[in-house]
C-alpha cells in the first residue's frame, strides 16, 4: 500500500494571486471572513492586490497559513496522509492537519509569530547554492554569531546571523551562488531568542492535543504524535535550524513512497527530489492542480 506524506512550504513560496481561485470552494468565503476578524485585514485583498505587503513577514505567514489550510480542507475529503511536515511556517499547517490545534488557534499563533519575526531587526540571512559543505561548516564554526539556519539539501542551505558574520562566511566560502535574503532578521538563529521567549509565553497558553498523524518537525525530523514533544519542538523552532534535508531522508525510512506538496510553488518537492529521487512527487498549488488530483 502506498504511504503518503503531505508537506507544506513556508515563507518565500508566496505569490501574488495565490488563493483567489479557492473562493469557489464551499467553505472558503467563511474561512476568509473568519481570518479577517482574527487578523484585522483581508487575506484576499493582500494576495490579490498588494505584492509589497505580501512579501512582508507580517502578512506573508498568515496568508500562507490560510491558503494552504483551505487546500488541505478540500483535499482531506479525498484522502488522509500517513505523515506530515512543513518548512518553518509550514509546520503550523502540518500541526493543524494532524489535529494538534484547531484552525483559528493556529492562525492566532501564526499572527503573533509573524508580528514578532517582522519586528526583529539587525540580522541577516543568505542562501548558498552549489558549495563545499566541509568548507562552509568550517567557516561557520570559526565565525561567531552565525549558524546554519536551513539545511535544505546537499546543494542548498541558508545561514543566519549578524550582518558582519554572514558577510564574513560569504567571503570565505566558494559557491555557485551566495544570495543575501530580503528578510528583517536573523531567523532560525540564537539572535531570535528575545522573540522566541515572548512567543513561548503565547504557546504555553494554547492547548495542544495528541496528533492523529505523525509530524516530522523542523528541529527534530523523528515523527511524533506526542502533544508535549510537538509543542516543545515548536518552541525551539524560532531559534533552531530547519533540518529539511534530514526530513527528506526520513521519508523513505518511514516507508513513504509518495509526497504531496500543498501550497504555492514547488520548492519542497524540488528539494526532496534532489535528496530522494525515487519518491513520487505531486504539487497541489491551486484549484487547477486540486481538480486534476481529485479526478485521477
Amino acid at each position: 500500500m502506498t504511504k503518503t506524506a503531505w508537506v507544506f512550504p513556508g515563507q518565500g513560496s508566496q505569490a501574488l494571486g495565490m488563493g483567489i481561485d479557492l473562493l469557489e470552494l464551499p467553505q472558503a468565503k467563511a474561512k476568509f471572513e473568519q481570518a479577517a476578524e482574527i487578523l484585522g485585514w483581508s487575506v484576499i485583498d493582500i494576495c490579490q492586490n498588494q505584492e509589497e505587503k505580501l512579501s512582508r513577514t507580517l502578512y506573508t505567514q498568515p496568508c500562507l497559513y490560510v491558503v494552504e489550510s483551505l487546500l488541505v480542507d478540500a483535499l482531506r475529503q479525498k484522502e488522509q496522509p500517513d505523515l506530515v511536515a512543513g518548512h518553518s511556517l509550514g509546520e503550523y499547517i502540518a500541526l493543524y492537519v494532524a489535529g494538534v490545534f484547531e484552525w483559528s488557534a493556529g492562525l492566532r499563533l501564526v499572527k503573533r509569530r509573524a508580528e514578532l519575526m517582522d519586528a526583529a531587526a539587525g540580522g541577516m540571512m543568505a542562501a548558498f547554492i552549489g558549495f563545499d559543505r566541509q568548507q562552509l561548516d568550517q567557516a561557520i564554526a570559526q565565525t561567531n554569531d552565525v549558524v546554519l539556519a536551513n539545511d535544505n539539501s546537499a546543494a542548498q542551505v541558508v545561514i543566519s546571523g549578524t550582518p558582519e558574520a554572514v558577510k564574513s562566511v560569504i567571503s570565505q566560502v566558494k559557491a555557485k551562488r551566495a544570495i543575501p535574503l530580503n528578510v528583517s532578521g536573523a531567523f532560525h538563529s540564537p539572535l531570535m531568542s528575545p522573540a522566541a521567549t515572548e512567543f513561548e509565553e503565547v504557546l504555553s497558553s494554547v492547548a495542544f492535543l495528541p496528533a492523529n498523524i505523525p509530524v516530522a518537525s523542523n528541529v527534530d525530523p523523528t515523527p511524533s504524535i506526542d502533544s508535549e514533544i510537538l509543542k516543545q519542538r515548536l518552541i525551539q523552532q524560532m531559534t533552531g535550524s530547519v533540518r529539511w534535508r534530514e526530513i527528506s531522508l526520513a521519508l523513505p525510512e518511514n516507508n513513504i513512497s509518495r509526497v504531496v506538496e500543498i501550497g504555492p510553488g514547488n520548492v519542497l518537492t524540488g528539494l526532496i527530489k534532489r535528496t530522494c529521487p525515487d519518491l513520487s512527487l505531486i504539487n497541489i498549488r491551486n484549484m487547477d492542480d486540486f481538480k486534476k488530483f481529485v479526478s485521477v
Side-chain angles (χ1 to χ4, degrees):
M1 183 178 174
T2 300
K3 292 186 73 173
T4 296
W6 288 1
V7 298
F8 307 95
Q11 197 164 343
S13 293
Q14 70 275 4
L16 194 67
M18 70 176 189
I20 304 306
D21 58 350
L22 302 182
L23 281 166
E24 64 183 87
L25 290 170
Q27 71 275 31
K29 185 179 178 182
K31 276 284 176 67
F32 279 125
E33 289 175 354
Q34 188 179 358
E37 290 178 9
I38 292 169
L39 299 169
W41 46 267
S42 167
V43 170
I44 294 173
D45 184 46
I46 297 292
C47 289
Q48 191 167 23
N49 303 310
Q50 303 193 47
E51 189 169 14
E52 188 173 334
K53 279 190 173 182
L54 184 59
S55 66
R56 182 180 166 188
T57 299
L58 184 67
Y59 300 99
T60 309
Q61 295 186 10
C63 286
L64 285 169
Y65 178 88
V66 172
V67 169
E68 292 178 27
S69 62
L70 278 168
L71 281 169
V72 158
D73 289 343
L75 191 58
R76 282 198 285 196
Q77 297 176 32
K78 178 176 172 61
E79 70 170 43
Q80 292 289 335
D82 300 286
L83 180 74
V84 291
H87 192 286
S88 192
L89 179 277
E91 188 167 323
Y92 287 78
I93 297 95
L95 292 167
Y96 162 66
V97 173
V100 173
F101 44 65
E102 56 91 26
W103 185 81
S104 61
L107 182 56
R108 287 186 174 91
L109 285 175
V110 168
K111 176 179 183 285
R112 189 64 188 130
R113 179 184 191 264
E115 289 168 348
L116 290 167
M117 292 179 71
D118 187 69
M124 180 178 177
M125 300 179 77
F128 283 84
I129 300 170
F131 57 93
D132 184 300
R133 172 74 63 150
Q134 186 174 354
Q135 187 183 46
L136 177 64
D137 289 344
Q138 185 176 359
I140 291 173
Q142 295 175 350
T143 307
N144 293 328
D145 300 323
V146 64
V147 296
L148 185 66
N150 296 357
D151 184 8
N152 288 328
S153 74
Q156 205 256 65
V157 302
V158 175
I159 64 171
S160 182
T162 63
E164 296 77 16
V166 170
K167 290 173 184 175
S168 175
V169 171
I170 290 174
S171 70
Q172 296 175 58
V173 178
K174 292 181 180 179
K176 185 177 179 180
R177 295 177 71 191
I179 311 161
L181 301 183
N182 183 22
V183 294
S184 61
F187 302 160
H188 298 291
S189 83
L191 293 180
M192 294 298 295
S193 292
T197 299
E198 189 170 345
F199 189 60
E200 183 176 353
E201 295 178 10
V202 178
L203 270 172
S204 65
S205 67
V206 178
F208 276 35
L209 299 173
N212 50 43
I213 303 163
V215 181
S217 301
N218 287 198
V219 298
D220 188 339
T222 308
S224 178
I225 60 171
D226 186 285
S227 58
E228 286 307 311
I229 288 174
L230 293 172
K231 179 179 279 193
Q232 189 59 41
R233 290 176 177 178
L234 206 58
I235 289 170
Q236 296 167 2
Q237 194 217 68
M238 198 177 282
T239 56
S241 296
V242 176
R243 296 162 60 182
W244 193 259
R245 180 175 60 88
E246 293 174 73
I247 288 176
S248 300
L249 290 168
L251 294 171
E253 292 175 2
N254 286 278
N255 300 313
I256 297 296
S257 57
R258 184 179 72 155
V259 179
V260 182
E261 180 177 1
I262 301 169
N266 57 2
V267 170
L268 299 185
T269 45
L271 294 174
I272 293 168
K273 185 175 182 178
R274 295 186 190 101
T275 306
C276 301
D278 295 332
L279 294 177
S280 172
L281 303 172
I282 299 167
N283 288 93
I284 300 179
R285 293 159 289 210
N286 48 43
M287 279 304 297
D288 283 346
D289 287 344
F290 172 75
K291 288 173 182 176
K292 290 174 187 174
F293 183 81
V294 298
S295 66
V296 174

